[in-house]
Amino acid sequence: MEQPLPPPSDMSPAEFRKHGHAVIDWIADYLEKPDKWPVLPDVRPGEIRGALPQSPPLRGEPMEAILADFQTLIVPATTHWNHPGFMAYFANSATGAGILGEALTAALNVNAMLWRTSPAATELEQLTLDWLRQMLGLPSEFFGAIADTASSNTLYALAAAREMHPELRIREQGMAARDDLPPVLIFCSEEAHSSVDKAVMTLGFGLSALRKIPTDDGLRMDAKALAAAIERARRAGAIPLAVVATVGTTSTTAIDPVPAIADICAREKVWLHVDASYGGTAAILPEMRHVLDGCDRADSLVVNPHKWLFTPMDCSVLYTRRPDLLKRAFQHIPDYLVVSGSADVVNLMDYGIALGRRFRALKLWFVIRQFGVEGLASLIREHIRIADRLAEWIDADAEFERLTDGQFSTVVFRHHPAELAGNALNEHNARLLEKVNATGEVYLSHTRVRGNYALRLAIGNIHTTEVHVRRAFDLIKEAGGVHS
Ligand SMILES: *Cc1c(COP(=O)(O)O)cnc(C)c1O
């Protein structure tokens, strides 16, 4: 047996400076040429894990060796979201200002549970979210808080909605095995994000409490069908608790008719939560402000700066006009967290399930300051312009068709050779997508529009230009055997 070593100290400032500079140089090179690697790595499941030691090192290793493995083993096996050819799901961006903000967040290592444990983190979060609120044209009563993801925030909103009915005593008694509790229902459209289903499962409503409202020919929630469903629920003795409307659905970026839905919710005293995770940021553009029409009347709204606001993962914002109810859902203070003499401060631990909170506002504040509101608006405007160009190319080509008419930066379409229909057409497009993604130049995803397989191209990365999108369309044509 070797003698155990004395406890190590952290790396010296000189070492930190040396490796830190190397890391910054690597990041700068990466951001300069994000397309140096294929956007989708050519790896099989288990390959990365298998290439690494299966047990941890007993003795510390030099940073040089660790960073070398990062470069040779990790980077090539990464799906490169910062690649200009990344056009799948909702493409996003880690920008320079955001990356530097993240680094400083790690250095300060603040746990923003209480105001006292993080005065600057708490107040900067409130201030930055008030800036973003102004940028989106939302009302000044909206209180904002940052969480990891929209999925968490939608869950928090539905938990707050339950506290609109204190007589149900859900905070104290839960929902399980209660004869005295009528069915408590949540409504969303058939096109709503799966995070609504997950929130309903997790909060104990159960999936059977989720009513999926049909959509119109633009895949928008049918407000008349919503009103009828709420009325049916009341007649059956159920409590309609909340409606989740979507601004920019994940599949086709449809916008539910929020003004009509807000009328129904006001009349019926039902909580209105708006999921604007992707689409909401477009409201920064004066000419797109209308996408949030009616959202000033929402009880809560979620928008993700980590999606289309050039802020690194993760950063999702929940706004609510009822922070009191959000607190009633989540505030629970053990003795060791009681702070004397600070009753009127915001303690972020009161607004969600996590006690500890990262200082996520720093990177968002950096991004907003470094680009400015006009800079951010023109980036988003350019993405929408490129998406419109792609729509024009598709519309001008007899062999292609768009399956929906989006307003944002996402185009949903398919290759439709005259001789193909039904399942053969679906399979043709699925094969086409695989071929295109195998090039490593671009990465697109797919969706289903009323059962029809569709290609989905989402522009959201700061490096993506019209040239990249044109290249993607040409690759798609090639893969489809089009020679026009
Ligand atoms: C992406 C998306 C979500 C989920 O976002 P996360 O932050 O990953 O949880 C929810 N709703 C919509 C409409 C989305 O597009």
Side-chain angles (χ1 to χ4, degrees):
M1 277 284 286
E2 286 180 73
Q3 283 301 305
L5 297 176
S9 50
D10 194 11
M11 68 173 66
S12 70
E15 281 176 297
F16 185 85
R17 212 176 295 281
K18 185 177 100 185
H19 302 307
H21 285 154
V23 166
I24 292 289
D25 283 342
W26 186 89
I27 296 173
D29 290 343
Y30 182 69
L31 295 179
E32 187 180 3
K33 284 188 106 349
D35 50 357
K36 183 169 160 192
W37 289 270
V39 54
L40 261 184
D42 182 18
V43 288
R44 279 163 303 285
E47 200 176 319
I48 299 110
R49 187 168 176 177
L52 295 165
Q54 301 301 299
S55 41
L58 286 181
R59 296 263 155 113
E61 301 181 67
M63 265 322 281
E64 285 84 354
I66 301 168
L67 291 173
D69 283 351
F70 168 77
Q71 291 187 30
T72 56
L73 295 169
I74 304 302
V75 177
T78 295
T79 296
H80 290 283
W81 285 71
N82 240 3
H83 189 296
F86 191 107
M87 301 165 189
Y89 307 102
F90 284 122
N92 61 15
S93 310
T95 54
I99 294 167
L100 295 174
E102 274 287 12
L104 294 172
T105 289
L108 294 179
N109 199 27
V110 161
N111 182 339
M113 51 188 184
L114 297 164
W115 179 88
R116 166 163 292 180
T117 66
S118 55
T122 302
E123 294 191 18
L124 191 69
E125 181 164 320
Q126 296 296 290
L127 175 98
T128 306
L129 297 191
D130 196 63
W131 284 8
L132 181 62
R133 178 196 65 70
Q134 295 171 45
M135 290 158 66
L136 300 173
L138 292 169
S140 58
E141 311 89 83
F142 274 24
F143 167 93
I146 301 180
D148 51 2
T149 60
S151 303
S152 299
N153 276 330
T154 289
L155 185 148
Y156 298 163
L158 295 179
R162 281 200 302 216
E163 296 306 318
M164 213 164 61
H165 297 269
E167 74 283 1
L168 298 179
R169 298 186 55 77
I170 290 174
R171 185 183 151 102
E172 298 77 18
Q173 296 178 7
M175 298 180 83
R178 283 186 57 185
D179 298 338
D180 61 321
L181 199 62
V184 181
L185 304 181
I186 313 288
F187 302 80
C188 67
S189 92
E190 289 167 348
E191 296 287 319
H193 190 262
S194 56
S195 54
V196 183
D197 304 63
K198 280 200 184 185
V200 163
M201 284 154 57
T202 310
L203 289 168
F205 292 104
L207 285 174
S208 62
L210 186 58
R211 295 286 181 273
K212 299 223 170 158
I213 306 300
T215 53
D216 66 12
D217 54 8
L219 299 163
R220 300 170 286 248
M221 188 191 291
D222 178 342
K224 282 213 180 81
L226 172 69
I230 290 177
E231 205 190 304
R232 264 199 312 280
R234 286 233 193 269
R235 263 190 276 118
I239 298 180
L241 185 82
V243 174
V244 180
T246 311
V247 170
T249 57
T250 312
S251 175
T252 68
T253 70
I255 303 175
D256 286 341
V258 177
I261 294 169
D263 287 344
I264 296 167
C265 289
R267 194 172 67 227
E268 297 283 346
K269 301 203 167 33
V270 169
W271 184 284
L272 173 58
H273 175 62
V274 176
D275 179 355
S277 297
Y278 159 70
T281 36
I284 295 172
L285 312 189
E287 68 273 26
M288 291 291 282
R289 186 57 63 85
H290 63 87
V291 302
L292 292 184
D293 280 354
C295 293
D296 54 329
R297 292 190 281 150
D299 296 285
S300 55
L301 178 143
V302 60
V303 60
N304 276 2
H306 74 220
K307 256 186 185 154
W308 201 13
L309 202 62
F310 311 98
T311 305
M313 288 284 291
D314 49 9
C315 184
S316 175
V317 178
L318 180 65
Y319 286 110
T320 179
R321 62 171 66 253
R322 299 302 308 269
D324 56 319
L325 296 185
L326 190 57
K327 240 165 123 164
R328 196 145 83 203
F330 290 107
Q331 188 179 51
H332 186 69
I333 308 174
D335 283 345
Y336 50 83
L337 289 171
V338 172
V339 181
S340 57
S342 54
D344 54 352
V345 297
V346 167
N347 293 314
L348 291 172
M349 67 170 189
D350 293 339
Y351 300 94
I353 190 67
L355 168 66
R357 296 227 168 197
R358 303 180 60 224
F359 188 179
R360 292 191 183 89
L362 192 64
K363 61 187 170 184
L364 179 57
W365 185 60
F366 276 28
V367 167
I368 294 174
R369 288 189 62 182
Q370 202 251 322
F371 287 105
V373 179
E374 285 178 5
L376 291 168
S378 61
L379 286 168
I380 293 170
R381 187 176 290 120
E382 174 65 0
H383 288 168
I384 295 172
R385 188 196 68 78
I386 302 171
D388 289 346
R389 290 290 287 150
L390 173 62
E392 285 166 24
W393 300 332
I394 291 167
D395 293 350
D397 193 316
E399 283 206 6
F400 283 87
E401 63 188 0
R402 283 190 295 142
L403 297 187
T404 58
D405 210 5
Q407 295 194 34
F408 300 102
S409 63
T410 302
V411 184
V412 180
F413 63 107
R414 66 179 170 182
H415 182 219
H416 194 164
E419 69 277 13
L420 291 181
N423 213 27
L425 179 58
N426 290 340
E427 282 168 12
H428 169 75
N429 277 279
R431 272 195 307 276
L432 190 158
L433 180 67
E434 251 174 57
K435 265 196 223 171
V436 169
N437 286 343
T439 64
E441 280 193 63
V442 295
Y443 177 26
L444 275 63
S445 56
H446 75 278
T447 187
R448 292 230 172 217
V449 179
R450 302 234 183 268
N452 295 311
Y453 190 98
L455 308 173
R456 203 174 151 290
L457 191 153
I459 302 158
N461 183 267
I462 192 163
H463 307 293
T464 303
T465 66
E466 184 176 327
V467 173
H468 297 108
V469 174
R470 180 69 225 186
R471 177 67 184 151
F473 190 49
D474 289 341
L475 287 170
I476 291 163
K477 286 167 104 174
E478 225 170 274
V482 187
H483 305 292
S484 56

